[in-house]
Amino acid sequence: MSRAARLTTTSYAILSLLAVQPWSSYELTQQMDRSLGRIWPRAASKLYEEPKKLVDHGLARGRTESVGARERTVYSISAKGRRALSGWLTEPGEGPVLSFEQLLQVGFAEHGTRADALATLAATRAWAQERNAGNLAAALAYQSGEGPFQQRAAQNVLTGRFLTDYYRMVAEWADWATAVVQQWPDDPRQAAPDQDDVDETVRRASW
Amino acid sequence: MSRAARLTTTSYAILSLLAVQPWSSYELTQQMDRSLGRIWPRAASKLYEEPKKLVDHGLARGRTESVGARERTVYSISAKGRRALSGWLTEPGEGPVLSFEQLLQVGFAEHGTRADALATLAATRAWAQERNAGNLAAALAYQSGEGPFQQRAAQNVLTGRFLTDYYRMVAEWADWATAVVQQWPDDPRQAAPDQDDVDETVRRASW
DNA sequence: TTCTTCATGTAATTAGTTACATGATTGA
DNA sequence: TCAATCATGTAACTAATTACATGAAGAA
């Protein structure tokens, strides 16, 4: 009886998926690619490891199936797991945590060239556009009532709107920043801010 | 001569701070609280550990000072460090990575109560407001030309605008989501999405 | 003079990732 | 029938966190 390690947000994220339906670990990795990864990204190997922890805690059951000479495990939530999930939802969760390397690079652009900064901003813009494309496809599916898990539509609309606004904000920022950096002199160390941009920032932060 | 571990984005983040001026580890933790932590959050202990790695790589130097009977180390960037920093800025950085537990909780709200979801959204709103307050204060300082590191103002305007738009977006989303959830029935499992909300999401994602 | 907070670090632990191994399936 | 990709996992490693220890400075 190994003492099961304590539950993390990742545990509850996976438990939440199991509350929708049973999944194998590989199927969980697909959900990670499609949806969960946008707000709680984790490596595939976590999705093989974490469900075992849920089983140790009695929050899920693992059912072994055969695929040829090979086995696979399909996990499903238990009654105790559903209670644990409800409990988690009453707890104060963490606010958004952002890790944004490209913004770091732009924020210290004075140690590189203007071209470096513009390339980084172009990558940010492309990132937002690509993410938005996938998100739009999902939104369109829901719009025509064809999205998966229709019984979860009300919740998906909330997260979908967040991601929509988020990607849009990133793209608009990248466009604006690109225009600003294009006005910089060749040497970014000589760049000075436009007072209008500062004023506009203050205005946008005043609410 | 221990083989120095490879450099991570965290290494370059700290190296970037050292490029501005020399700092002790404690002073770095203060910068983490004030600025860096918004886009690259790390625990204080990293700021004691990582500079040593930079020294191992020859990218920084550590100078030991005495404070009473105790010592402290002030780190400064080397010429090699400045070259490494320039090199990093030419490399494709990662796009924004979001970890948002509260959004996870709202996205699986059907396993809790409507009150749970509303409490979580209120916490998100409060988070955005608090972050925005600090950000606005910084923006106002720059507006009147009194912000720290004026020679970096052009770069700070870029990151400052991103954070401003980001916090505002989070707050507006939380307000909207709160209004939506207030319309839900007592049992969130019975909640259905408003078609207008879906349509509006599609519209916002169409760009 | 004692308590609290500031300041400087190290040690222990863990959450997570990358790398690897290999069987099953599909399609050229 | 061979190669590529899908699918299922484990092992090794590491980046990061939390916990701990303690001296210095300021305030009651």
Side-chain angles (χ1 to χ4, degrees):
Chain A
M1 303 306 111
S2 66
R3 203 78 214 87
R6 74 175 191 76
L7 298 171
T8 64
T9 299
T10 301
S11 314
Y12 289 109
I14 292 171
L15 191 58
S16 297
L17 286 178
L18 297 184
V20 176
Q21 65 170 54
W23 312 85
S24 71
S25 286
Y26 182 73
E27 289 165 340
L28 288 173
T29 69
Q30 293 179 306
Q31 290 308 305
M32 186 56 78
D33 290 343
R34 284 191 226 292
S35 56
L36 190 62
R38 309 291 169 231
I39 54 180
W40 201 260
R42 288 298 176 267
S45 69
K46 259 284 144 203
L47 306 180
Y48 285 87
E49 181 187 328
E50 201 69 33
K52 293 195 246 174
K53 199 160 89 181
L54 295 176
V55 170
D56 287 346
H57 280 267
L59 308 184
R61 269 168 279 107
R63 191 187 134 87
T64 302
E65 298 179 351
S66 295
V67 184
R70 196 176 194 176
E71 303 204 312
R72 74 171 199 156
T73 310
V74 175
Y75 297 95
S76 54
I77 194 170
S78 68
K80 187 178 174 187
R82 291 195 185 275
R83 287 194 297 274
L85 193 48
S86 301
W88 172 60
L89 292 178
T90 68
E91 280 172 26
E94 260 195 72
V97 176
L98 182 70
S99 296
F100 194 174
E101 184 180 25
Q102 291 167 346
L103 184 56
L104 218 45
Q105 292 173 315
V106 170
F108 289 102
E110 72 268 26
H111 305 296
T113 68
R114 187 181 53 186
D116 290 341
L118 289 172
T120 297
L121 288 169
T124 301
R125 179 53 152 86
W127 177 93
Q129 191 158 1
E130 196 207 308
R131 291 296 179 107
N132 185 68
N135 196 52
L136 174 58
L140 286 170
Y142 273 99
Q143 191 178 39
S144 56
E146 288 160 4
F149 308 113
Q150 283 289 330
Q151 78 282 9
R152 303 196 62 259
Q155 288 77 43
N156 283 338
V157 163
L158 297 179
T159 58
R161 173 67 72 86
F162 180 90
L163 293 174
T164 297
D165 289 350
Y166 173 52
Y167 299 143
R168 187 185 179 102
M169 181 251 126
V170 172
E172 287 179 349
W173 172 81
D175 286 341
W176 168 81
T178 296
V180 168
V181 173
Q182 278 168 346
Q183 299 303 314
W184 280 5
D186 281 340
D187 180 358
R189 275 165 298 187
Q190 306 301 321
D194 188 323
Q195 189 66 32
D196 289 347
D197 289 329
V198 178
D199 293 348
E200 173 65 10
T201 300
V202 167
R203 209 186 58 70
R204 291 187 185 203
S206 302
W207 46 270
Chain B
M1 298 310 110
S2 65
R3 203 78 215 87
R6 75 176 191 77
L7 299 170
T8 64
T9 298
T10 301
S11 313
Y12 289 109
I14 292 171
L15 191 58
S16 297
L17 286 178
L18 296 185
V20 176
Q21 66 168 57
W23 311 85
S24 72
S25 287
Y26 181 74
E27 288 164 342
L28 289 173
T29 67
Q30 293 179 307
Q31 291 308 306
M32 187 56 78
D33 290 343
R34 285 190 226 293
S35 56
L36 191 62
R38 309 293 170 231
I39 55 181
W40 202 260
R42 287 300 175 265
S45 69
K46 261 283 144 202
L47 307 180
Y48 285 87
E49 182 188 328
E50 200 71 31
K52 293 195 246 175
K53 199 160 90 182
L54 296 176
V55 171
D56 287 347
H57 280 266
L59 308 183
R61 268 167 279 107
R63 192 188 133 86
T64 303
E65 298 179 353
S66 295
V67 184
R70 197 176 193 176
E71 303 203 313
R72 74 169 199 158
T73 309
V74 176
Y75 296 95
S76 54
I77 194 169
S78 68
K80 186 177 174 189
R82 290 194 186 276
R83 287 194 298 274
L85 194 48
S86 300
W88 172 60
L89 292 179
T90 69
E91 280 172 27
E94 260 195 73
V97 176
L98 181 70
S99 295
F100 194 174
E101 183 179 26
Q102 290 167 346
L103 184 56
L104 219 45
Q105 291 173 315
V106 169
F108 289 102
E110 72 266 29
H111 305 295
T113 67
R114 186 180 54 184
D116 291 340
L118 289 172
T120 296
L121 288 168
T124 302
R125 179 53 152 86
W127 176 93
Q129 190 158 2
E130 196 208 309
R131 290 295 180 108
N132 185 67
N135 195 52
L136 174 58
L140 286 170
Y142 273 98
Q143 192 179 37
S144 57
E146 289 161 6
F149 308 112
Q150 283 290 330
Q151 78 282 9
R152 302 196 63 259
Q155 289 76 42
N156 283 338
V157 163
L158 297 179
T159 58
R161 173 66 71 85
F162 180 90
L163 292 174
T164 297
D165 289 350
Y166 173 53
Y167 299 144
R168 188 184 179 103
M169 181 250 125
V170 172
E172 286 179 350
W173 172 81
D175 287 340
W176 168 80
T178 297
V180 168
V181 172
Q182 278 167 345
Q183 300 302 314
W184 281 3
D186 281 340
D187 180 358
R189 275 163 299 186
Q190 306 301 321
D194 188 323
Q195 189 67 32
D196 290 346
D197 289 328
V198 178
D199 293 348
E200 173 66 9
T201 300
V202 167
R203 208 185 60 71
R204 291 187 185 203
S206 302
W207 47 270

